[in-house]
Amino acid sequence: MSDIIYWEDMQQGQVIELGSVTITYDEIIDFATKFDPQPFHLDEEAAKHSIFEGLAASGWHTAALFMRLMVDNLVNHTVSMGSPGVDEIRWLRPVRPGDTLHGQFNIVETNTSRSRPQMGIVRSRGEMYNQHDQLVMTLTAIGFFGRKPTDS
């Protein structure tokens, strides 16, 4: 396989490890302050009395961390042509200060584009696990990737 990953290099059933990241207390507070200022993301005492029973990162923060891992460890090594979006996202358990999260990109299905022959379509399931290998987030999405150039 070349240094560049093309659509043809992606196979149904393939699992791509995306690396890991540790989330800090300060990062949780900073993200929540800017983007999701709910008490259980901002205030330890308020969070103790919430459904989370302690400070928890915003689910959107977890999704942003997944995106960073995916871009750094996969997308920037491909011929990425964008995405029409995420079909579903689920936050399955709280992410806490000090958690180390690792991501996986699972290829569910690959298809060629009928309207753009230079592009392939990948349906995927993204997963984030904590340091105890507990699944904390899943998302299903579609990505567009460039196909290998043909000699013509």
Side-chain angles (χ1 to χ4, degrees):
M1 182 164 54
S2 67
D3 293 331
I4 298 173
I5 299 169
Y6 292 94
W7 173 81
E8 288 85 353
D9 299 318
M10 299 180 185
Q11 303 300 317
Q12 182 176 334
Q14 185 178 5
V15 177
I16 299 169
E17 296 294 333
L18 301 176
S20 64
V21 62
T22 299
I23 190 168
T24 69
Y25 174 89
D26 289 341
E27 289 168 337
I28 289 172
I29 300 298
D30 185 53
F31 185 96
T33 299
K34 291 177 183 173
F35 304 110
D36 193 356
Q38 298 183 70
F40 40 79
H41 299 320
L42 290 170
D43 180 275
E44 280 188 270
E45 194 57 38
K48 287 179 188 174
H49 303 289
S50 75
I51 193 170
F52 300 111
E53 300 177 341
L55 191 69
S58 167
W60 295 111
H61 192 174
T62 304
L65 291 169
F66 177 83
M67 186 68 192
R68 182 59 193 244
L69 290 174
M70 187 172 68
V71 168
D72 286 349
N73 298 294
L74 175 63
V75 173
N76 280 347
H77 304 284
T78 69
V79 181
S80 174
M81 300 178 85
S83 169
V86 172
D87 293 327
E88 178 182 88
I89 188 166
R90 294 284 182 251
W91 298 300
L92 305 169
R93 65 177 59 244
V95 171
R96 309 283 188 193
D99 278 356
T100 297
L101 306 176
H102 66 275
Q104 288 184 340
F105 182 85
N106 302 280
I107 299 173
V108 175
E109 182 180 14
T110 62
N111 293 297
T112 56
S113 171
R114 285 182 234 143
S115 60
R116 296 183 180 145
Q118 75 281 12
M119 183 173 77
I121 302 165
V122 174
R123 292 186 182 276
S124 64
R125 174 182 160 98
E127 298 174 344
M128 282 286 262
Y129 294 86
N130 65 20
Q131 67 276 10
H132 305 293
D133 284 326
Q134 297 168 319
L135 191 58
V136 300
M137 186 195 79
T138 62
L139 60 85
T140 57
I142 299 169
F144 300 142
F145 296 92
R147 299 187 67 192
K148 288 184 178 176
T150 57
D151 298 331
S152 45

